[in-house]
Amino acid sequence: MIGTNIYISQETQESLIKAATFKEISVEELASSILRESIPEKLGQISYSSNNQGKFAINPLVKMQPYAYLADPNEPVISPDDWEMNHNFEVNDL
């Protein structure tokens, strides 16, 4: 069971109180019964069953393992030769 606060107009509150009094039940019971009936009616078109799962594209990566980084963390990513070449190029541009 989920407890929640629902904000309704003063007019609706008065109607609920009158109807609950007429039915001789609490306002909470009446509101719960109204919600129990109206939620499936309003949301009946939306089905969350496994039948709808076929309508969505299947993720081709579901059964794959993440990419493993196989480089040595102590080795530089850019070779020293490339680093020097790029560094010299940038310094000479200034």
Side-chain angles (χ1 to χ4, degrees):
M1 183 170 135
I2 297 174
T4 185
N5 292 326
I6 299 174
Y7 300 99
I8 55 176
S9 69
Q10 185 67 33
E11 182 180 326
T12 304
Q13 288 178 22
E14 291 170 4
S15 297
L16 274 173
I17 292 169
K18 288 178 186 176
T21 303
F22 178 76
K23 291 188 170 205
E24 297 179 354
I25 59 174
S26 71
V27 174
E28 291 81 6
E29 286 177 287
L30 178 60
S32 293
S33 68
I34 292 169
L35 287 172
R36 233 185 343 267
E37 294 169 9
S38 64
I39 288 176
E41 178 184 314
K42 295 290 183 184
L43 302 177
Q45 306 89 339
I46 302 172
S47 176
Y48 296 103
S49 68
S50 61
N51 297 338
N52 285 344
Q53 289 179 356
K55 294 181 181 179
F56 299 105
I58 296 171
N59 184 350
L61 305 176
V62 166
K63 295 181 181 178
M64 295 184 74
Q65 294 295 319
Y67 175 76
Y69 186 69
L70 302 175
D72 182 1
N74 296 322
E75 291 180 15
V77 176
I78 300 174
S79 70
D81 293 337
D82 288 341
W83 177 257
E84 288 298 323
M85 181 178 70
N86 288 332
H87 184 68
N88 289 338
F89 179 75
E90 291 172 2
V91 172
N92 291 336
D93 279 350
L94 298 174

